[in-house]
Amino acid sequence: MNVGFSYLQFHLAFLLPAVMLLLVTGFVSRTRITDTTARWTDGWRRYWAGVVIITVVALVYTTPWDNLLIARGVWWYGEGRTIATIWEAPLEEYLFIAVQPWLTALWLSHLSFSTEWPVATRPRASRVVMLGVAVAVGIAGWQWLGSDATFYIGAISAWAAPVLGLQWAVGAPQLWARRRAVAVGTIVPTLYLCVADRIAIEYGIWILSEQYTTGISVAGLPIEEAAFFFVTNLFVIQGLVLYRLVTAKWGIEALSGWIDDRRARIERPEA
């Protein structure tokens, strides 16, 4: 299908409407969330500050990796489908990297999960196990990099492993306790972006190299693309869940300290 569908039009057709819809419906969802502790201690201003931090980290961490793969020829862009190129990637690619965390964060803002810190059983063991999983993903990725056919999936795995390892080493027990929110928060935007990506490939906005991909696809979508969206959304969801937990805990401690201070002032006998 050779229709002049540009990368910018892709943003306008898939990312902008999704962001706007989630913004509007988010106001309704927040009124239904019953976690009063989160309302008191984890205000939305603080939440979006976390999204800004994650967006900056995503740009810094993804940009070199993305550009190196484009330079290698793992994928490229259709003629006339992009506006301008910075380094090896088009301007729209950086916009995509920046918008995806906001799209995923807006979806997560619809979901409710407790910000309390329940006592976890064997927290150290769970961290070690999940860190071992991240190490295994990284080792597999480095091995796959040695073959052209598995180069892209290897690049994704090797790139994702350090972030997953850090998140799981820090908060595996708390993430497991909120596994439903993590799963739903990750899978829904992943499926949406996979559909959008499949359409972009069909219209030739970007083209994946047959040399550097396995050739395995689901409904026409290469598994490498699905894996990329899964791990990047997982980064965002796990990062924001842990961020909310930490800021909520700090908020509770600050609020308790303020209450104790006020109580002491009231109860203190006058000189």
Side-chain angles (χ1 to χ4, degrees), residues 2-191:
N2 188 18
V3 180
F5 191 37
S6 71
Y7 201 165
L8 179 60
Q9 289 173 319
F10 170 85
H11 281 283
L12 297 176
F14 293 103
L15 298 188
L16 181 61
V19 167
M20 296 303 295
L21 177 63
L22 290 172
L23 274 173
V24 172
T25 56
F27 288 106
V28 178
S29 295
R30 284 196 284 271
T31 62
R32 299 176 60 186
I33 293 176
T34 58
D35 188 347
T36 55
T37 301
R39 287 182 179 178
W40 272 93
T41 64
D42 188 26
W44 290 108
R45 244 185 293 180
R46 192 177 300 169
Y47 177 76
W48 295 116
V51 180
V52 170
I53 294 170
I54 286 177
T55 302
V56 172
V57 172
L59 281 166
V60 171
Y61 191 65
T62 306
T63 293
W65 177 87
D66 192 82
N67 279 268
L68 289 172
L69 292 188
I70 294 172
R72 178 71 178 259
V74 175
W75 71 84
W76 58 91
Y77 301 89
E79 185 178 355
R81 305 303 173 94
T82 60
I83 297 173
T85 299
I86 301 174
W87 193 1
E88 299 288 343
L91 181 63
E92 297 91 332
E93 184 84 350
Y94 300 103
L95 181 60
F96 187 95
I97 296 171
V99 171
Q100 185 185 347
W102 289 85
L103 175 68
T104 306
L106 281 165
W107 168 244
L108 180 62
S109 72
H110 288 63
L111 307 180
S112 175
F113 59 88
S114 173
T115 54
E116 296 179 356
W117 286 69
V119 177
T121 58
R122 306 183 65 185
R124 185 175 300 176
S126 64
R127 289 188 177 94
V128 170
V129 169
M130 294 309 295
L131 184 58
V133 172
V135 171
V137 170
I139 292 173
W142 282 104
Q143 290 180 335
W144 290 334
L145 286 171
S147 170
D148 281 356
T150 56
F151 182 82
Y152 187 15
I153 192 67
I156 294 170
S157 301
W159 171 78
V163 178
L164 294 176
L166 177 61
Q167 291 181 333
W168 290 339
V170 170
Q174 300 305 328
L175 291 170
W176 176 253
R178 294 155 184 84
R179 56 190 175 276
R180 181 179 179 277
V182 172
V184 175
T186 302
I187 291 171
V188 171
T190 297
L191 290 175

